[in-house]
Amino acid sequence: MIIRSVFSRYSASLVNNQCIQISGKIISSITCFNFPQAMNFHLSPQDLAARKGTRARKAKGKVKREEKLRPFLSRLEREKHQIYENKRPFDKSHYPEPIDDVYFYRKYQYTQWSFQEAVQNHREIHHPTVYNMPNSPLILRIDMDFKYPKRPQKCMDPWKTIVEMKTSFLLPGMTVPSVLAFIPNDVNVLKATLAAGADMAGGIEIVKSIQQGEISGNDYEYIVCHPLMVPEITSIRGLIKKKFPTFKHGTIDVDIPNAVKRLKGGLKIHVVHSDREPDYASIETPIGTLDMDSSNLEGNFEAILRDTLPRRVSGKEPNDFILQCLLKTPNSFEEFKIDIQDAIQRNDKKGQGVKEMLEEKPEEVDEEDVEKKTAAV
């Protein structure tokens, strides 16, 4: 009876907000009489049913995200988004020279070693009692300045070439290149070319074989040609494509046997250059192994130096062009700077002609003849 009277008293006022508080008291009073089923009564005035068209309207507002595929970026494009570290060597010429065997490396100039001393230092490091790698490759690094002396905004272009070594060598992973030679109909030249190491040599008969598909130019890494044979091989230019002989790459030469020797025993030199640092470039290439004779290693080093020095622009001194030369190995972090002043004087072909002109003595003038001529005048 008590429950019926309570609900009848407040049934008319359960629709407004104040009834919520009263209904709460009602619930509390109901639960105190141990009626747990009273908590299941729905006393909220809100209509929880969704309006018509609400879900459709919200669905229109949602925009599906399209999955965008990342475009392919080349190596050069990826480098643009990365932090670039300058590779140009720091100039420490204004630093004091070290006066002791032990010193702080960052506070003094780099120690310069002769080529023989640098090689001996690496041999001690790779001795069987230390690194146990006596036949480790010896790598030469040459840092160069590519700026023009009178136009600092302009810089040189990198190059690729093949340098004939004094002593040829083969490292793991290196192979002897194959050479195809086009020569005129001369038996003596044919014998000399094959003796120099050419894999195949001949004249018009090889051109016809390439046209018929019996021989492929892709089977040979280099193709050399005599100047008299250039008109004959123009018909197969589209078949051999980039391997077509040119004067620029040194594959057109009058002395074919010498060109074959240079290509078979030569070393590919590639100048590393970056657009972010256009005034700097470097060459990094092996020149032999540590178990080779030091004189042969030095001969290979001077062969590269002899090819690099004449490529500088006119008006640039060798010391301004070559910043430094380092000797290192792939198995250690030790790098030794080489003193190259004597090597530059021996191998600078570009500066020798100018030096000889400057050192020419003027003709001796006979003073008596001058006096006679002035008196006659």
Side-chain angles (χ1 to χ4, degrees):
M1 295 295 291
I2 297 171
I3 296 173
R4 288 180 179 179
S5 62
V6 170
F7 275 99
S8 62
R9 184 183 303 176
Y10 297 107
S11 59
S13 61
L14 285 176
V15 292
N16 53 21
N17 295 332
Q18 295 180 355
C19 294
I20 296 174
Q21 298 177 358
I22 300 172
S23 62
K25 293 179 182 180
I26 295 170
I27 292 171
S28 62
S29 63
I30 293 171
T31 54
C32 68
F33 287 102
N34 297 324
F35 290 100
Q37 294 180 355
M39 294 295 296
N40 296 328
F41 295 157
H42 179 69
L43 303 176
S44 175
Q46 289 182 332
D47 187 7
L48 299 179
R51 296 179 183 178
K52 292 183 178 180
T54 302
R55 293 179 181 176
R57 186 180 71 254
K58 290 183 178 180
K60 291 180 180 179
K62 292 181 180 179
V63 180
K64 292 183 179 180
R65 294 182 179 179
E66 297 181 359
E67 295 183 359
K68 296 182 179 180
L69 298 176
R70 293 183 178 180
F72 173 76
L73 298 177
S74 62
R75 181 180 61 83
L76 296 176
E77 292 175 344
R78 289 196 304 268
E79 288 179 355
K80 292 180 181 179
H81 302 286
Q82 296 176 358
I83 299 174
Y84 181 79
E85 296 181 1
N86 291 336
K87 300 179 181 179
R88 188 185 183 92
F90 181 69
D91 185 14
K92 297 178 70 175
S93 58
H94 58 283
Y95 282 29
E97 295 182 358
I99 58 176
D100 199 355
D101 294 337
V102 181
Y103 57 91
F104 287 103
Y105 183 73
R106 297 181 179 179
K107 296 184 178 180
Y108 294 91
Q109 293 184 12
Y110 298 114
T111 303
Q112 294 189 3
W113 307 81
S114 65
F115 188 89
Q116 305 289 341
E117 292 174 345
V119 173
Q120 186 61 32
N121 291 341
H122 279 298
R123 285 175 177 168
E124 293 178 2
I125 295 172
H126 295 78
H127 193 267
T129 58
V130 188
Y131 279 7
N132 194 18
M133 295 179 179
N135 57 348
S136 176
L138 185 63
I139 298 175
L140 170 68
R141 180 184 178 88
I142 302 177
D143 296 316
M144 297 170 290
D145 181 59
F146 267 27
K147 287 187 297 186
Y148 277 67
K150 296 182 180 180
R151 290 179 290 176
Q153 294 82 6
K154 188 176 180 181
C155 300
M156 296 172 54
D157 296 327
W159 64 84
K160 295 180 182 179
T161 185
I162 298 174
V163 180
E164 184 178 1
M165 296 284 99
K166 178 182 178 182
T167 305
S168 59
F169 59 92
L170 280 178
L171 298 178
M174 295 176 61
T175 57
V176 179
S178 55
V179 180
L180 171 63
F182 290 101
I183 57 175
N185 294 328
D186 191 343
V187 179
N188 296 329
V189 177
L190 178 62
K191 292 181 180 179
T193 304
L194 294 175
D199 296 272
M200 182 176 287
I204 302 176
E205 63 276 5
I206 297 181
V207 176
K208 293 181 180 178
S209 299
I210 293 176
Q211 289 176 342
Q212 295 173 1
E214 299 176 359
I215 299 175
S216 176
N218 297 326
D219 297 338
Y220 301 93
E221 190 169 352
Y222 300 109
I223 298 177
V224 296
C225 178
H226 193 277
L228 297 177
M229 290 295 298
V230 173
E232 304 293 338
I233 66 172
T234 52
S235 58
I236 59 172
R237 189 186 191 101
L239 298 175
I240 57 180
K241 297 179 181 179
K242 293 183 179 180
K243 296 180 182 179
F244 190 83
T246 59
F247 286 102
K248 181 180 179 181
H249 297 101
T251 49
I252 296 179
D253 197 343
V254 178
D255 191 356
I256 294 295
N258 187 23
V260 172
K261 287 182 181 179
R262 180 175 56 85
L263 295 174
K264 297 286 284 189
L267 189 67
K268 290 182 180 180
I269 301 297
H270 174 60
V271 177
V272 180
H273 182 259
S274 175
D275 294 336
R276 297 194 179 187
E277 205 171 1
D279 61 339
Y280 167 77
S282 63
I283 296 174
E284 192 164 321
T285 179
I287 57 174
T289 55
L290 291 176
D291 56 353
M292 292 173 57
D293 190 20
S294 299
S295 60
N296 295 334
L297 292 172
E298 190 172 6
N300 292 345
F301 160 65
E302 292 190 358
I304 297 174
L305 201 65
R306 196 180 304 115
D307 178 80
T308 305
L309 284 172
R311 297 180 182 274
R312 69 183 188 273
V313 296
S314 59
K316 198 176 188 70
E317 294 296 330
N319 293 327
D320 297 333
F321 177 57
I322 296 181
L323 302 176
Q324 65 178 8
C325 291
L326 302 174
L327 280 182
K328 60 181 184 178
T329 60
N331 304 312
S332 70
F333 59 88
E334 296 288 346
E335 296 179 347
F336 298 101
K337 187 176 180 179
I338 310 171
D339 186 6
I340 59 173
Q341 298 303 321
D342 295 338
I344 287 176
Q345 293 179 2
R346 292 193 300 267
N347 300 282
D348 186 16
K349 295 181 179 180
K350 189 171 185 177
Q352 284 177 358
V354 179
K355 190 181 295 184
E356 290 175 357
M357 291 175 61
L358 295 175
E359 291 180 354
E360 284 183 357
K361 294 182 180 180
E363 297 181 359
E364 295 182 358
V365 181
D366 192 356
E367 296 180 357
E368 295 181 358
D369 294 341
V370 174
E371 292 180 356
K372 290 180 181 178
K373 291 179 181 179
T374 52
V377 173

